Amino acid sequence: MSELLFLLLPIAVAYGWYMGRRSGDQELKDTSLKLSEKYVAGLNYLFSDQSDKAVDLFIDMIKVDSETIDTHLALASLFRKRGEVDRAIRLHQNLIARPSLPIEQRDFAMFELGHDYLVAGLFDRAETIFIELLEHEGYQLKSAEQLLHIYEYTKDWEKAVAVVESYKLQQKAKIATSLAHYYCELAEPLLARGDNDGLKLINQALKADNACIRAYLLKASVLIEKGDRKGALKCYQEIPNQDVDFCSEIVAAVEDLYQGHRDPKGFEHFLRDLLQLGAGVSILIKLAQRVAITDGDDAAEALVRQELVRHPTMKGFCHLMHYHINSAESSKARSSLKSLQELVSTQIRIKPKYRCCNCGFSSGSLLWQCPSCKSWGRIKPIRGLDGE
Ligand SMILES: [Zn+2]
């Protein structure tokens, strides 16, 4: 608080001096006198350790006019940064209440007031302001983004979709990604109760963003439930083309689909194609398991060793140990290798499996919106030595 007073004191003094200089007529002289009285009262509060009252008095002293608008805006911003949102709100409200305030500064003060309300958790008031600003030139996108923050926080997905669609904001790539997830959020409860409209929403998600992995995963599981295994397989096959990092998320479901078609060779080809695309170690392990069935453990081990030279991973080394355990001649060597494998497996299990590419937040499960940076679709399976 004391550092703010050091800022406010000279501003108040300068303003009093300025008013005094201009006090050519009686009215201005009276104003100047009142300011001096307030200044003395402010100092009294200060010396009697009532710094809160002193700050409020000094704010009142700086009357809003064309010369002090920027001072008010700067002070309000400073108060909000310090967590004193009520004072920031008061300053912005004072500014907006002036009918003679130029339109650019009014819009700016309104936007800032909306921001104050957001910080204070007064979402309904913030929403009203940002909805009004949607119609003001230069504030449409900024206000829409703030509204989307509110609707994401309150999980009001219908309103979020309406804002994006009404103002055609999906042309911005980042907003198109968010829109696809809003449709997925709307679809999930419908899909859970078997409502066919869920699939329509998923198709709208893919129309908004045809790289939305979540929408492909949801669509594939709906099609499996409907008995359309071919359609489901097509959805899963599209995922590596959009983002090869998500291959580990589909491998078990795709294996089921190929088994349903009694087509193990087809599955093996699919896995080899994924490895060519740069898929991670889960795909390598699955392929090695297939090779072990068809060509034996030695061929599987050679495949794993060859891939690990190019892309070393803990999970891959752990799987490689499996072949050494099987081929160990003495029971002592087998038992030592088993303990070692158990230790490595435990380490792999306790490590996070997913990480946000935007902020680095890590998680044990796949989340579609990052709890830390709020980005959509940026949390992916971890790649590298500790991951895939
Ligand atoms: Zn993040």
Side-chain angles (χ1 to χ4, degrees):
M1 184 62 73
S2 58
E3 65 271 31
L4 248 185
L5 279 165
F6 278 115
L7 177 73
L8 277 167
L9 265 170
I11 294 173
V13 171
Y15 188 69
W17 173 81
Y18 173 72
M19 290 301 288
R21 282 274 309 257
R22 282 171 51 184
S23 54
D25 60 37
Q26 192 54 43
E27 194 187 336
L28 283 172
K29 272 184 182 156
D30 290 348
T31 309
S32 181
L33 187 66
K34 275 182 199 157
L35 280 172
S36 301
E37 285 167 1
K38 279 190 173 180
Y39 186 68
V40 173
L43 284 179
N44 277 333
Y45 281 135
L46 198 55
F47 292 132
S48 55
D49 273 345
Q50 298 182 69
S51 51
D52 268 349
K53 285 186 179 172
V55 167
D56 288 337
L57 205 76
F58 288 138
I59 289 172
D60 285 343
M61 280 177 71
I62 312 164
K63 206 176 146 194
V64 179
D65 64 24
S66 56
E67 278 94 8
T68 60
I69 291 170
D70 288 341
T71 309
H72 278 257
L73 288 170
L75 272 176
S77 160
L78 195 67
F79 278 126
R80 191 173 65 220
K81 276 185 195 146
R82 290 170 49 89
E84 295 174 52
V85 191
D86 50 339
R87 287 198 169 108
I89 290 174
R90 212 173 86 205
L91 280 163
H92 285 133
Q93 282 174 335
N94 283 347
L95 278 172
I96 293 164
R98 274 184 66 84
S100 60
L101 192 71
I103 188 81
E104 295 84 20
Q105 280 157 325
R106 173 179 301 279
D107 284 353
F108 182 78
M110 267 184 77
F111 186 78
E112 291 298 303
L113 180 61
H115 211 156
D116 296 339
Y117 285 143
L118 263 189
V119 172
L122 302 167
F123 293 135
D124 49 345
R125 292 191 197 180
E127 183 189 10
T128 308
I129 284 187
F130 292 129
I131 286 176
E132 192 183 329
L133 280 173
L134 278 174
E135 305 300 333
H136 293 213
E137 203 187 328
Y139 282 87
Q140 192 182 79
L141 182 61
K142 281 196 273 187
S143 303
E145 281 172 346
Q146 296 302 324
L147 281 171
L148 294 181
H149 286 318
I150 295 172
Y151 299 144
E152 284 178 12
Y153 187 83
T154 55
K155 299 193 185 302
D156 199 334
W157 310 114
E158 278 176 11
K159 279 189 180 175
V161 167
V163 167
V164 178
E165 299 275 11
S166 309
Y167 292 89
K168 303 202 182 330
L169 301 173
Q170 60 270 50
Q171 285 149 3
K172 305 250 169 216
K174 199 177 144 204
I175 294 187
T177 304
S178 304
L179 178 63
H181 283 277
Y182 301 155
Y183 278 123
C184 290
E185 291 286 347
L186 285 169
E188 276 177 346
L190 297 184
L191 296 176
R193 55 174 191 261
D195 189 327
N196 279 336
D197 285 346
L199 188 56
K200 285 182 197 160
L201 289 166
I202 294 299
N203 285 331
Q204 278 182 280
L206 287 169
K207 199 176 150 202
D209 176 16
N210 69 355
C212 182
I213 304 297
R214 180 187 189 179
Y216 284 113
L217 288 171
L218 282 172
K219 188 169 180 177
S221 49
V222 175
L223 294 179
I224 288 172
E225 271 185 33
K226 285 178 177 290
D228 181 2
R229 299 172 74 88
K230 216 171 167 184
L233 191 57
K234 224 171 148 188
C235 282
Y236 285 131
Q237 282 167 337
E238 188 52 33
I239 289 175
N241 297 330
Q242 298 302 335
D243 194 335
V244 75
D245 289 346
F246 281 93
C247 288
S248 52
E249 298 302 305
I250 60 169
V251 67
V254 172
E255 186 177 19
D256 277 351
L257 289 171
Y258 274 105
Q259 272 176 358
H261 288 128
R262 301 187 194 290
D263 183 12
K265 271 283 161 205
F267 183 50
E268 196 178 314
H269 281 137
F270 176 71
L271 293 172
R272 286 192 189 276
D273 287 346
L274 292 188
L275 273 189
Q276 284 286 322
L277 271 175
V281 68
S282 295
I283 306 304
L284 171 66
I285 292 172
K286 196 53 88 179
L287 180 61
Q289 286 166 345
R290 292 286 333 143
V291 170
I293 294 168
T294 52
D295 303 326
D297 271 7
D298 287 349
E301 185 195 337
L303 171 75
V304 173
R305 203 180 318 113
Q306 185 190 333
E307 280 296 317
L308 283 180
V309 171
R310 294 198 301 157
H311 305 293
T313 58
M314 293 299 286
K315 222 169 151 184
F317 284 120
C318 191
H319 187 73
L320 190 63
M321 274 186 233
H322 163 78
Y323 302 113
H324 289 282
I325 291 167
N326 286 353
S327 61
E329 285 178 0
S330 77
S331 62
K332 197 178 167 194
R334 198 173 301 127
S335 153
S336 303
L337 281 168
K338 265 191 174 170
S339 331
L340 192 60
Q341 191 189 36
E342 193 48 49
L343 280 173
V344 178
S345 296
T346 309
Q347 281 306 306
I348 294 169
R349 268 200 300 277
I350 59 173
K351 292 250 177 200
K353 289 186 174 55
Y354 303 91
R355 185 172 294 138
C356 175
C357 306
N358 200 39
C359 71
F361 174 88
S362 53
S363 149
S365 56
L366 180 56
L367 305 168
W368 295 112
Q369 187 180 29
C370 175
S372 173
C373 70
K374 310 293 175 200
S375 314
W376 288 99
R378 301 292 287 153
I379 294 186
K380 296 181 181 190
I382 294 174
R383 299 295 302 262
L385 190 65
D386 282 341
E388 276 293 310

